[in-house]
Short mmCIF file of all heavy atoms in Angstrom, two decimals:
data_model
loop_
_atom_site.label_atom_id
_atom_site.label_comp_id
_atom_site.label_asym_id
_atom_site.label_seq_id
_atom_site.Cartn_x
_atom_site.Cartn_y
_atom_site.Cartn_z
N GLY A 212 27.87 -19.78 15.56
CA GLY A 212 27.11 -18.64 16.03
C GLY A 212 26.44 -17.96 14.84
O GLY A 212 26.77 -18.19 13.68
N GLY A 213 25.50 -17.08 15.17
CA GLY A 213 24.84 -16.27 14.15
C GLY A 213 23.57 -16.89 13.61
O GLY A 213 23.39 -18.10 13.64
N GLU A 214 22.69 -16.03 13.06
CA GLU A 214 21.41 -16.49 12.56
C GLU A 214 21.07 -15.95 11.18
O GLU A 214 20.11 -16.40 10.56
CB GLU A 214 20.31 -16.08 13.56
CG GLU A 214 20.46 -16.73 14.92
CD GLU A 214 19.47 -16.24 15.91
OE1 GLU A 214 19.44 -15.01 16.16
OE2 GLU A 214 18.72 -17.07 16.46
N ALA A 215 21.81 -14.96 10.67
CA ALA A 215 21.49 -14.36 9.40
C ALA A 215 22.71 -13.67 8.82
O ALA A 215 23.60 -13.21 9.56
CB ALA A 215 20.33 -13.38 9.52
N TYR A 216 22.74 -13.56 7.52
CA TYR A 216 23.84 -12.85 6.84
C TYR A 216 23.86 -11.38 7.26
O TYR A 216 24.94 -10.79 7.42
CB TYR A 216 23.62 -12.88 5.32
CG TYR A 216 24.24 -14.03 4.58
CD1 TYR A 216 23.55 -15.24 4.44
CD2 TYR A 216 25.50 -13.97 4.02
CE1 TYR A 216 24.07 -16.30 3.73
CE2 TYR A 216 26.05 -15.01 3.31
CZ TYR A 216 25.35 -16.18 3.17
OH TYR A 216 25.89 -17.23 2.48
N ASN A 217 22.68 -10.76 7.42
CA ASN A 217 22.61 -9.32 7.49
C ASN A 217 22.58 -8.76 8.91
O ASN A 217 22.12 -7.65 9.13
CB ASN A 217 21.41 -8.80 6.71
CG ASN A 217 20.08 -9.40 7.18
OD1 ASN A 217 20.03 -10.20 8.11
ND2 ASN A 217 19.01 -8.99 6.52
N ILE A 218 23.03 -9.55 9.89
CA ILE A 218 23.16 -9.09 11.27
C ILE A 218 24.60 -9.37 11.71
O ILE A 218 25.03 -10.53 11.67
CB ILE A 218 22.21 -9.76 12.22
CG1 ILE A 218 20.75 -9.70 11.72
CG2 ILE A 218 22.29 -9.13 13.63
CD1 ILE A 218 19.81 -10.51 12.54
N VAL A 219 25.34 -8.35 12.11
CA VAL A 219 26.73 -8.58 12.57
C VAL A 219 26.71 -9.61 13.70
O VAL A 219 25.92 -9.50 14.67
CB VAL A 219 27.39 -7.29 13.06
CG1 VAL A 219 28.74 -7.54 13.63
CG2 VAL A 219 27.48 -6.27 11.90
N LEU A 220 27.53 -10.64 13.56
CA LEU A 220 27.56 -11.75 14.53
C LEU A 220 27.86 -11.23 15.94
O LEU A 220 28.93 -10.68 16.19
CB LEU A 220 28.63 -12.75 14.08
CG LEU A 220 28.84 -13.97 14.97
CD1 LEU A 220 27.58 -14.83 15.03
CD2 LEU A 220 30.00 -14.80 14.47
N ASP A 221 26.91 -11.43 16.85
CA ASP A 221 27.11 -10.89 18.20
C ASP A 221 27.30 -11.97 19.26
O ASP A 221 27.45 -11.66 20.44
CB ASP A 221 25.94 -9.97 18.60
CG ASP A 221 24.64 -10.73 18.75
OD1 ASP A 221 24.52 -11.87 18.23
OD2 ASP A 221 23.74 -10.18 19.39
N LYS A 222 27.31 -13.24 18.85
CA LYS A 222 27.52 -14.27 19.82
C LYS A 222 28.07 -15.54 19.12
O LYS A 222 27.54 -15.96 18.10
CB LYS A 222 26.20 -14.62 20.55
CG LYS A 222 26.42 -15.54 21.75
CD LYS A 222 25.08 -15.71 22.49
CE LYS A 222 24.67 -14.38 23.13
NZ LYS A 222 23.46 -14.52 23.96
N VAL A 223 29.14 -16.10 19.66
CA VAL A 223 29.67 -17.32 19.10
C VAL A 223 30.12 -18.25 20.24
O VAL A 223 30.61 -17.80 21.30
CB VAL A 223 30.90 -17.03 18.18
CG1 VAL A 223 32.09 -16.49 18.93
CG2 VAL A 223 31.28 -18.26 17.36
N SER A 224 29.90 -19.56 20.06
CA SER A 224 30.26 -20.54 21.03
C SER A 224 31.38 -21.42 20.46
O SER A 224 31.24 -21.97 19.37
CB SER A 224 29.04 -21.40 21.39
OG SER A 224 29.41 -22.49 22.24
N VAL A 225 32.45 -21.54 21.22
CA VAL A 225 33.59 -22.40 20.83
C VAL A 225 33.62 -23.57 21.80
O VAL A 225 33.67 -23.40 23.01
CB VAL A 225 34.91 -21.60 20.89
CG1 VAL A 225 36.08 -22.52 20.42
CG2 VAL A 225 34.83 -20.37 20.04
N CYS A 226 33.67 -24.80 21.24
CA CYS A 226 33.75 -26.01 22.06
C CYS A 226 35.12 -26.63 21.93
O CYS A 226 35.67 -26.79 20.82
CB CYS A 226 32.69 -27.03 21.62
SG CYS A 226 31.01 -26.51 22.04
N LEU A 227 35.69 -27.03 23.09
CA LEU A 227 37.04 -27.59 23.17
C LEU A 227 37.03 -28.83 24.05
O LEU A 227 36.23 -28.91 25.01
CB LEU A 227 38.02 -26.57 23.74
CG LEU A 227 38.12 -25.22 23.03
CD1 LEU A 227 38.71 -24.16 23.98
CD2 LEU A 227 38.96 -25.35 21.77
N ALA A 228 37.91 -29.78 23.76
CA ALA A 228 38.07 -30.94 24.63
C ALA A 228 38.58 -30.45 26.01
O ALA A 228 39.47 -29.62 26.09
CB ALA A 228 39.00 -31.95 24.01
N CYS A 229 37.99 -31.03 27.05
CA CYS A 229 38.32 -30.55 28.39
C CYS A 229 39.62 -31.16 28.92
O CYS A 229 39.88 -32.37 28.76
CB CYS A 229 37.16 -30.91 29.34
SG CYS A 229 37.36 -30.18 31.00
N SER A 230 40.40 -30.29 29.49
CA SER A 230 41.57 -30.73 30.27
C SER A 230 41.86 -29.62 31.29
O SER A 230 41.48 -28.47 31.10
CB SER A 230 42.81 -30.93 29.37
OG SER A 230 43.35 -29.70 28.97
N GLU A 231 42.49 -29.99 32.39
CA GLU A 231 42.77 -29.01 33.44
C GLU A 231 43.63 -27.86 32.95
O GLU A 231 43.42 -26.70 33.26
CB GLU A 231 43.43 -29.68 34.64
CG GLU A 231 42.52 -30.63 35.39
CD GLU A 231 43.18 -31.17 36.64
OE1 GLU A 231 44.32 -30.73 36.97
OE2 GLU A 231 42.60 -32.05 37.30
N SER A 232 44.62 -28.19 32.09
CA SER A 232 45.53 -27.12 31.63
C SER A 232 44.85 -26.17 30.68
O SER A 232 45.03 -24.95 30.75
CB SER A 232 46.74 -27.75 30.95
OG SER A 232 46.33 -28.54 29.82
N VAL A 233 44.02 -26.70 29.80
CA VAL A 233 43.25 -25.85 28.85
C VAL A 233 42.33 -24.95 29.62
O VAL A 233 42.23 -23.73 29.36
CB VAL A 233 42.48 -26.70 27.82
CG1 VAL A 233 41.53 -25.85 27.03
CG2 VAL A 233 43.46 -27.42 26.88
N LEU A 234 41.58 -25.50 30.56
CA LEU A 234 40.64 -24.76 31.35
C LEU A 234 41.35 -23.63 32.16
O LEU A 234 40.86 -22.50 32.22
CB LEU A 234 39.85 -25.67 32.30
CG LEU A 234 38.73 -25.05 33.07
CD1 LEU A 234 37.68 -24.45 32.16
CD2 LEU A 234 38.09 -26.12 34.00
N ALA A 235 42.49 -23.99 32.74
CA ALA A 235 43.22 -23.03 33.54
C ALA A 235 43.71 -21.85 32.68
O ALA A 235 43.62 -20.68 33.08
CB ALA A 235 44.40 -23.69 34.24
N GLU A 236 44.24 -22.16 31.50
CA GLU A 236 44.75 -21.11 30.64
C GLU A 236 43.60 -20.20 30.16
O GLU A 236 43.76 -18.99 30.13
CB GLU A 236 45.45 -21.72 29.40
CG GLU A 236 46.09 -20.65 28.51
CD GLU A 236 46.89 -21.21 27.36
OE1 GLU A 236 47.00 -22.44 27.25
OE2 GLU A 236 47.41 -20.42 26.55
N LEU A 237 42.48 -20.78 29.81
CA LEU A 237 41.34 -19.98 29.34
C LEU A 237 40.83 -19.08 30.47
O LEU A 237 40.57 -17.87 30.25
CB LEU A 237 40.21 -20.87 28.86
CG LEU A 237 40.37 -21.44 27.45
CD1 LEU A 237 39.31 -22.51 27.17
CD2 LEU A 237 40.25 -20.33 26.41
N ASN A 238 40.67 -19.64 31.63
CA ASN A 238 40.15 -18.84 32.78
C ASN A 238 41.09 -17.68 33.08
O ASN A 238 40.62 -16.57 33.42
CB ASN A 238 39.99 -19.71 34.00
CG ASN A 238 38.73 -20.54 33.94
OD1 ASN A 238 37.72 -20.12 33.36
ND2 ASN A 238 38.77 -21.75 34.54
N GLU A 239 42.36 -17.88 32.92
CA GLU A 239 43.33 -16.80 33.18
C GLU A 239 43.21 -15.72 32.12
O GLU A 239 43.24 -14.51 32.44
CB GLU A 239 44.76 -17.37 33.17
CG GLU A 239 45.85 -16.33 33.32
CD GLU A 239 45.81 -15.62 34.66
OE1 GLU A 239 45.27 -16.18 35.65
OE2 GLU A 239 46.30 -14.45 34.74
N LYS A 240 43.02 -16.10 30.88
CA LYS A 240 42.98 -15.11 29.79
C LYS A 240 41.65 -14.32 29.74
O LYS A 240 41.63 -13.21 29.23
CB LYS A 240 43.19 -15.80 28.43
CG LYS A 240 44.63 -16.31 28.28
CD LYS A 240 44.94 -16.75 26.85
CE LYS A 240 46.38 -17.23 26.75
NZ LYS A 240 47.36 -16.17 27.05
N VAL A 241 40.59 -14.87 30.30
CA VAL A 241 39.30 -14.15 30.19
C VAL A 241 38.85 -13.57 31.54
O VAL A 241 37.75 -13.00 31.64
CB VAL A 241 38.17 -15.13 29.66
CG1 VAL A 241 38.61 -15.74 28.35
CG2 VAL A 241 37.81 -16.18 30.69
N LYS A 242 39.70 -13.63 32.54
CA LYS A 242 39.27 -13.19 33.88
C LYS A 242 38.86 -11.75 33.97
O LYS A 242 38.05 -11.38 34.81
CB LYS A 242 40.39 -13.49 34.91
CG LYS A 242 41.66 -12.72 34.67
CD LYS A 242 42.70 -13.10 35.72
CE LYS A 242 44.00 -12.34 35.54
NZ LYS A 242 45.03 -12.74 36.52
N ASP A 243 39.36 -10.91 33.08
CA ASP A 243 39.00 -9.48 33.10
C ASP A 243 38.09 -9.09 31.91
O ASP A 243 37.91 -7.92 31.64
CB ASP A 243 40.27 -8.61 33.08
CG ASP A 243 41.10 -8.83 34.32
OD1 ASP A 243 40.53 -8.98 35.42
OD2 ASP A 243 42.34 -8.84 34.20
N LYS A 244 37.52 -10.09 31.24
CA LYS A 244 36.74 -9.82 30.04
C LYS A 244 35.25 -10.11 30.32
O LYS A 244 34.85 -11.27 30.47
CB LYS A 244 37.23 -10.63 28.87
CG LYS A 244 38.68 -10.36 28.48
CD LYS A 244 39.12 -11.13 27.27
CE LYS A 244 40.61 -10.91 26.99
NZ LYS A 244 40.91 -9.49 26.68
N ASP A 245 34.43 -9.06 30.38
CA ASP A 245 33.01 -9.24 30.69
C ASP A 245 32.23 -9.91 29.55
O ASP A 245 31.17 -10.45 29.80
CB ASP A 245 32.36 -7.85 30.98
CG ASP A 245 32.92 -7.22 32.23
OD1 ASP A 245 33.41 -7.98 33.11
OD2 ASP A 245 32.88 -5.99 32.35
N ASN A 246 32.76 -9.85 28.36
CA ASN A 246 32.03 -10.40 27.20
C ASN A 246 32.40 -11.82 26.86
O ASN A 246 31.98 -12.37 25.83
CB ASN A 246 32.22 -9.48 25.98
CG ASN A 246 33.67 -9.46 25.52
OD1 ASN A 246 34.60 -9.52 26.34
ND2 ASN A 246 33.90 -9.35 24.20
N ILE A 247 33.25 -12.46 27.70
CA ILE A 247 33.63 -13.87 27.43
C ILE A 247 33.45 -14.69 28.68
O ILE A 247 33.89 -14.29 29.78
CB ILE A 247 35.11 -13.95 26.97
CG1 ILE A 247 35.37 -13.07 25.75
CG2 ILE A 247 35.48 -15.40 26.63
CD1 ILE A 247 36.82 -13.05 25.30
#
Side-chain angles (χ1 to χ4, degrees):
E214 297 174 302
Y216 271 88
N217 59 0
I218 309 173
V219 175
L220 179 63
D221 67 342
K222 190 174 294 184
V223 68
S224 174
V225 181
C226 291
L227 304 160
C229 187
S230 75
E231 290 186 6
S232 60
V233 169
L234 186 60
E236 183 175 358
L237 281 170
N238 282 328
E239 177 63 25
K240 291 191 179 298
V241 305
K242 64 181 179 182
D243 297 322
K244 300 183 185 297
D245 295 336
N246 64 326
I247 305 176

